[in-house]
Amino acid sequence: MPSNVPSFAELLGRTQRSAAHLELRDSYAPTERFEAWRRGERINWDDRMSWWHPYDQLIGDTVARGVAIRRARVVSEPVSEYIRWEHYVTHANVTAGEEVRWLPRRQATNIPLPGNDFWLFDGALLRVHHFSGDGEVVEDEVTADAETVMLCLNAFDAVWKRAIPHHLYEI
């Protein structure tokens, strides 16, 4: 990642009102947590200390200071194994304070979508994720380009309006 790109924590720390995350891939690079799930290991959601991570704390702290955090995922159906796992672990995102929704890809055909996942901070600054074909993060870029920001803002809002709240989305 280029050294001039602020960290996610820095960007979220500067955010005053809202952060929106749009995810468009059906799989990302596997992690140890994903591989453990594939082996049949499950999280004891009652033992928060066993699964609460620094990311969850960052989100919780940000929401506690009044920032709304929304995540929307556009997914193919039937969902991939990776998305089944993401759906399972989304309990942590929701517990931390994120609002999460899911949109079946077939319902997104007439939404102009950007080519990359992104975070949008306060409707004005984007952190765009560039992935390899295998789902590894290659690079993140930050932009405040008005046209790009508007495309992403409109795309997120359109997806959000159609998407199904996490607790109602069944895979």
Side-chain angles (χ1 to χ4, degrees), residues 20-38:
H21 187 36
L22 184 63
E23 296 180 8
L24 301 166
R25 297 178 57 91
D26 286 320
S27 67
Y28 296 85
T31 63
E32 176 50 38
R33 290 174 63 199
F34 173 66
E35 295 301 335
W37 177 84
R38 290 180 80 197

Side-chain angles (χ1 to χ4, degrees), residues 20-109:
H21 187 36
L22 184 63
E23 296 180 8
L24 301 166
R25 297 178 57 91
D26 286 320
S27 67
Y28 296 85
T31 63
E32 176 50 38
R33 290 174 63 199
F34 173 66
E35 295 301 335
W37 177 84
R38 290 180 80 197
R39 291 190 300 269
E41 296 175 28
R42 295 300 179 259
I43 297 168
N44 177 357
W45 293 114
D46 293 329
D47 180 12
R48 182 170 156 159
M49 293 306 293
S50 71
W51 57 266
W52 192 256
H53 291 84
Y55 173 84
D56 303 313
Q57 190 62 52
L58 175 62
I59 296 300
D61 292 347
T62 303
V63 169
R65 62 182 178 80
V67 176
I69 300 180
R70 299 181 297 162
R71 177 186 301 258
R73 293 179 171 134
V74 178
V75 297
S76 300
E77 290 181 325
V79 300
S80 67
E81 181 180 38
Y82 192 93
I83 294 299
R84 281 196 307 276
W85 172 73
E86 264 195 344
H87 188 270
Y88 173 72
V89 296
T90 295
H91 177 83
N93 299 82
V94 171
T95 300
E98 286 187 32
E99 292 180 67
V100 180
R101 293 186 183 180
W102 304 80
L103 182 66
R105 192 173 307 281
R106 69 178 177 270
Q107 295 177 27
T109 302

